[in-house]
Amino acid sequence: MTDATALDLPGDDLFGPDNLPYGLYTTADAPDHPRIGVRYGDHVLDAGAAAAAFGSPHTALLQQPLLNPLMAAGRPVWQAVRAGLREWLTAARHRDTAARHLRPLEEVSLRLPFEVADYVDFYASEHHATNVGRIFRPDGEPLTPNWKHLPIGYHGRAGTVVASGTPVVRPVGQRKPPAEAAPLFGPSQRLDIEAEVGFVVGAPSAHGEPVGQGSLRDHVFGVCLLNDWSARDIQAWEYVPLGPFLGKSFATSVSAWVTPLEALDSARTAPPARDAPLLPYLDDGPDTGHEPGGLDIRITVRLNGATVAEPPFSAMYWTAAQQLAHMTVNGASLRTGDLFASGTVSGPEPDQYGCFLELTAGKGPYLADGDEVTLSAWAPGPQGSRIGLGEVTGRIDPARAI
Amino acid sequence: MTDATALDLPGDDLFGPDNLPYGLYTTADAPDHPRIGVRYGDHVLDAGAAAAAFGSPHTALLQQPLLNPLMAAGRPVWQAVRAGLREWLTAARHRDTAARHLRPLEEVSLRLPFEVADYVDFYASEHHATNVGRIFRPDGEPLTPNWKHLPIGYHGRAGTVVASGTPVVRPVGQRKPPAEAAPLFGPSQRLDIEAEVGFVVGAPSAHGEPVGQGSLRDHVFGVCLLNDWSARDIQAWEYVPLGPFLGKSFATSVSAWVTPLEALDSARTAPPARDAPLLPYLDDGPDTGHEPGGLDIRITVRLNGATVAEPPFSAMYWTAAQQLAHMTVNGASLRTGDLFASGTVSGPEPDQYGCFLELTAGKGPYLADGDEVTLSAWAPGPQGSRIGLGEVTGRIDPARAI
């Protein structure tokens, strides 16, 4: 039993009562029994056990071995569960009971918290798209003609989305330096990161029914951090005409904690001014009645412990609500577990770029074996509090022998 | 109980003892109880019930409500189950028992037979890629420089893979005719098909471990037909630089029957001569010891009942074994239920093109509301028999009101 003083958090704790992110963990005595946990300070609440102790009507959902059933239950249930968790963790009369179901973070192993259905990656930072366009297509306009009219996105590999902490093996593949007549084969020489924010779909939608911007809160369960590892040399050779494939599909890491969308209410902010008129389904201007679609999430990128960039998510041109509307405007359905990511978060300043391609102007150096990259982030919460988005970390392991 | 004469099939039946494709069906009296079925002539064998009657050690796998557990069980189990099915359906002493578990096809409803994990679509026909390149990029080389060095592919939306017979609602989206200054919004005016063959992964692979060409039989459970519905106007506007997205993600139809890969042994054929040297992991030349990677599958495309094309799968430049090797060479893992499709199957002749974009040289007409497209196919079996790949059909429903 954990001492109830574990419930007494400093007001600026990143994982206080306004956050309450969900994760999945195991303990050394039950390594095959994943449990839903809620982070509180430096502890994890065993959500299923606590729900049973408090007689929650949602106990069964919280005793599942992954988040998907809770995610599928929909917004009224998310709200009720969240209200319950907050009460259990903060009301004086519940202290002893809640403390009984807390474990120190260092005693648990965190898992991929949900089963990924479809994974979509967008390209929503104008700064990133401009910088990359200049590097990859030096002879053309940096932004393609469609860029300001729709949030460009593509499907990625759901099966290789891994939890924070999973080592990333340097991928092997084809690359073709301009001076070579034929492609070379071997470990990627330009292994990069992409610092992104991921949106996790809870409630599904019907096939054929678009989901409008105003329905974001009904479908998106929460937010995570995401590192879209990218082999730039493999990508550059393969991506025309059908887009990135093996340059991305070897691994995508997500943070172990999914922060409820509601926890980011105080981080809502207006996105950058739109300088091309938008079609109605994407329009989020002041006359549309949509709430501000931007989110003031402040990301830090660390390489081997040293901060290398601080990308501001508030600078993203396209919002999650627009991405949701676009992704479904053709009638494509949403499934519980769909994950859509923002694309690399880059701000206007050189120390705000979210990948080494930009940070080094395409010249490198890129990641070396043994390098460890960690993304962390926080956003403003109510009354001056802060909402932590946890972290996503990964170390580069050497390529397999070929 | 079906008469045992249902087991007496003509020698050229497309669904005889050398085929035995798997599907999933329900009956009117138990619409919520999907069962694994094996097609035999115009009947369906209730595989789970038959397995129980014959005391099969694989009864539990065959009584599941979808194919994925059987698919995951691996090749030795697939072989044993297939041998059992063949014996039950052909041995004189089993006639009465087998007949008891047969139902006429017209009495059952067929379902999507497996849960799709990741869906990858390739671009493996040189004829198709050349024709499309000429239409989409008239000022450039029709084939991109990478085309002969690697099988180009991209991830599609797994959540909108639907069973044959599911109506396809005309998608709505952005398109930008060249004469317009800004994109237009509305129903696609260029709704097309892509006649493809799909490969269904059964046995998974470990993350980080490439799967070589020689392991195709250990991982691929079976083959289906696939129609990759494509909105050419949406696709043309969105696909640079990250590839197709909404132009494809509204629906992908697959046949209800999955033919075991082994049933296509007699259809094995050499692929077209390779006119660029291949890296070792993709090389399938005569000195490599790999079995012939091509498959002599003959597809028929019908529009409202009339044959419009007969694409030969044997003309495909890249084989399924090469696609498998490429897809995993970077360490990406396979999951049970992964579906990878060939890309449009087009032969060299104008009546062998697998989409209307090519059949009409980019000029249309494309699909009208109410049009029904049906793909069917067969391949040579042993001793002059034929292996049917079933069919995939879909009718275009009008776009939703906007």
Side-chain angles (χ1 to χ4, degrees):
Chain A
M1 174 176 166
T2 299
D3 192 293
T5 59
L7 292 163
D8 302 325
L9 302 182
D12 64 348
D13 196 287
L14 290 171
F15 300 95
D18 297 316
N19 191 345
L20 305 179
Y22 295 96
L24 200 68
Y25 72 96
T26 56
T27 54
D29 52 315
D32 298 324
H33 175 42
R35 280 178 258 210
I36 295 177
V38 172
R39 182 163 175 181
Y40 198 65
D42 292 331
H43 287 73
V44 182
L45 180 75
D46 180 335
F54 288 110
S56 164
H58 305 294
T59 301
L61 283 178
L62 292 170
Q63 289 183 337
Q64 298 296 315
L66 76 176
L67 285 177
N68 294 58
L70 172 63
M71 287 158 49
R75 191 173 170 206
V77 171
W78 308 338
Q79 291 174 317
V81 168
R82 183 169 163 79
L85 288 165
R86 193 182 162 105
E87 190 188 331
W88 307 338
L89 289 163
T90 59
R93 69 185 182 285
H94 295 322
R95 279 175 74 86
D96 291 342
T97 308
R100 215 169 296 141
H101 300 289
L102 283 183
R103 291 188 77 136
L105 256 184
E106 64 264 24
E107 288 182 11
V108 307
S109 296
L110 296 169
R111 297 276 193 103
L112 186 66
F114 60 100
E115 192 177 299
V116 182
D118 271 302
Y119 164 48
V120 167
D121 195 24
F122 283 95
Y123 193 52
S125 160
E126 181 176 1
H127 309 291
H128 171 70
T130 302
N131 293 336
V132 169
R134 285 200 184 111
I135 295 166
F136 270 33
R137 295 176 293 278
D139 301 327
E141 288 291 317
L143 290 185
T144 50
N146 51 10
W147 202 93
K148 294 248 165 134
H149 295 282
L150 52 81
I152 293 173
Y154 66 100
H155 288 93
R157 193 162 187 84
T160 50
V161 175
V162 298
S164 175
T166 306
V168 173
V169 178
R170 179 180 298 275
V172 161
Q174 295 193 23
R175 64 185 192 279
K176 199 183 101 35
E180 302 287 338
L184 308 178
F185 184 74
S188 170
Q189 307 292 304
R190 298 188 180 181
L191 184 53
D192 199 356
I193 62 161
E194 295 198 335
E196 307 195 12
V197 172
F199 294 83
V200 181
V201 172
S205 71
H207 197 173
E209 303 284 339
V211 176
Q213 289 189 64
S215 298
L216 183 81
R217 289 173 182 271
D218 293 325
H219 291 279
V220 168
F221 173 77
V223 177
C224 61
L225 289 178
L226 184 147
N227 187 344
D228 175 30
W229 305 95
S230 299
R232 300 299 180 194
D233 41 4
I234 296 173
Q235 181 185 353
W237 170 233
E238 76 178 355
Y239 91 106
V240 176
L242 299 185
F245 187 39
L246 299 187
K248 304 274 196 174
S249 66
F250 55 96
T252 304
S253 301
V254 295
S255 57
W257 299 107
V258 180
T259 293
L261 187 60
E262 192 179 311
L264 296 172
D265 279 355
S266 298
R268 289 267 176 180
T269 183
R274 281 71 174 77
D275 43 22
L278 292 175
L279 286 164
Y281 79 100
L282 291 174
D283 191 4
D284 63 354
D287 298 341
T288 62
H290 290 305
E291 60 183 331
L295 289 171
D296 179 15
I297 298 172
R298 299 145 194 221
I299 302 173
T300 299
V301 181
R302 290 189 181 82
L303 172 63
N304 301 323
T307 297
V308 294
E310 294 186 316
F313 192 69
S314 58
M316 300 300 275
Y317 193 89
W318 296 103
T319 70
Q322 290 172 317
Q323 291 165 346
L324 185 78
H326 186 61
M327 190 162 50
T328 60
V329 73
N330 68 346
S333 47
L334 301 173
R335 290 184 295 169
T336 299
D338 281 352
L339 170 65
F340 63 101
S342 60
T344 308
V345 182
S346 290
E349 303 302 327
D351 61 354
Q352 296 179 327
Y353 297 164
C355 65
F356 290 104
L357 177 70
E358 292 173 82
L359 287 166
T360 68
K363 300 182 175 67
Y366 293 92
L367 296 173
D369 291 348
D371 277 350
E372 186 172 69
V373 176
T374 302
L375 313 180
S376 58
W378 65 274
Q383 283 98 43
S385 68
R386 297 192 305 164
I387 306 294
L389 272 86
E391 63 175 39
V392 56
T393 190
R395 192 194 62 239
I396 306 303
D397 276 359
R400 64 181 166 84
I402 54 168
Chain B
M1 174 176 168
T2 299
D3 191 293
T5 59
L7 293 163
D8 303 323
L9 301 183
D12 64 347
D13 196 288
L14 289 172
F15 300 95
D18 297 317
N19 191 344
L20 306 180
Y22 295 96
L24 199 69
Y25 72 96
T26 57
T27 54
D29 53 315
D32 298 324
H33 175 42
R35 278 178 259 213
I36 294 176
V38 172
R39 182 162 175 181
Y40 199 64
D42 292 331
H43 286 73
V44 182
L45 180 75
D46 180 336
F54 287 111
S56 164
H58 306 294
T59 301
L61 282 179
L62 293 169
Q63 288 183 338
Q64 298 296 314
L66 77 175
L67 286 177
N68 294 57
L70 172 63
M71 288 158 51
R75 193 174 170 205
V77 172
W78 308 338
Q79 291 174 317
V81 168
R82 183 168 163 79
L85 288 165
R86 193 182 162 105
E87 189 188 330
W88 306 339
L89 289 163
T90 59
R93 69 186 183 286
H94 295 323
R95 278 175 74 86
D96 291 343
T97 308
R100 214 169 296 145
H101 301 290
L102 284 182
R103 293 188 77 136
L105 257 184
E106 62 265 25
E107 289 182 10
V108 308
S109 296
L110 296 169
R111 298 277 192 100
L112 185 67
F114 59 99
E115 191 177 298
V116 182
D118 270 301
Y119 164 47
V120 167
D121 195 24
F122 283 95
Y123 192 52
S125 161
E126 181 175 1
H127 309 292
H128 170 71
T130 302
N131 293 335
V132 169
R134 285 199 183 111
I135 295 165
F136 270 32
R137 294 177 294 277
D139 301 328
E141 287 292 317
L143 290 186
T144 49
N146 52 9
W147 202 94
K148 295 245 165 139
H149 295 282
L150 53 81
I152 292 173
Y154 66 100
H155 288 93
R157 193 162 187 84
T160 51
V161 174
V162 298
S164 176
T166 306
V168 173
V169 178
R170 180 180 298 275
V172 162
Q174 295 194 23
R175 63 184 193 281
K176 200 184 97 42
E180 302 287 339
L184 308 178
F185 184 75
S188 170
Q189 307 291 303
R190 299 189 180 182
L191 184 52
D192 199 355
I193 62 162
E194 294 198 336
E196 307 195 14
V197 172
F199 294 83
V200 181
V201 171
S205 71
H207 197 174
E209 302 284 338
V211 176
Q213 290 188 65
S215 299
L216 183 81
R217 289 174 181 271
D218 293 325
H219 290 280
V220 168
F221 173 77
V223 177
C224 61
L225 289 177
L226 184 146
N227 187 343
D228 175 30
W229 305 95
S230 298
R232 299 299 180 194
D233 41 4
I234 296 173
Q235 181 185 353
W237 170 233
E238 75 178 357
Y239 90 106
V240 176
L242 299 185
F245 187 38
L246 299 186
K248 306 274 196 173
S249 67
F250 55 97
T252 304
S253 300
V254 295
S255 56
W257 298 106
V258 179
T259 293
L261 186 62
E262 192 180 311
L264 296 172
D265 279 355
S266 298
R268 288 267 176 179
T269 183
R274 282 73 173 76
D275 42 24
L278 293 176
L279 286 164
Y281 79 100
L282 292 174
D283 191 3
D284 62 355
D287 298 340
T288 61
H290 290 305
E291 60 183 331
L295 289 171
D296 179 15
I297 298 171
R298 298 145 194 223
I299 303 172
T300 299
V301 182
R302 289 188 181 82
L303 173 63
N304 301 322
T307 296
V308 294
E310 296 186 316
F313 192 70
S314 58
M316 300 300 274
Y317 193 89
W318 296 103
T319 70
Q322 289 172 317
Q323 291 164 348
L324 185 77
H326 186 60
M327 191 163 49
T328 60
V329 73
N330 68 345
S333 48
L334 301 172
R335 290 183 297 168
T336 300
D338 281 352
L339 170 65
F340 63 100
S342 60
T344 309
V345 182
S346 290
E349 303 302 327
D351 61 354
Q352 297 179 327
Y353 297 165
C355 66
F356 290 104
L357 177 71
E358 291 173 82
L359 288 165
T360 68
K363 298 183 175 67
Y366 293 91
L367 296 173
D369 291 347
D371 277 350
E372 186 172 68
V373 176
T374 302
L375 313 179
S376 59
W378 65 274
Q383 283 97 43
S385 67
R386 296 192 305 163
I387 306 295
L389 272 86
E391 64 175 40
V392 57
T393 190
R395 194 193 62 240
I396 307 303
D397 276 359
R400 65 182 165 82
I402 56 169

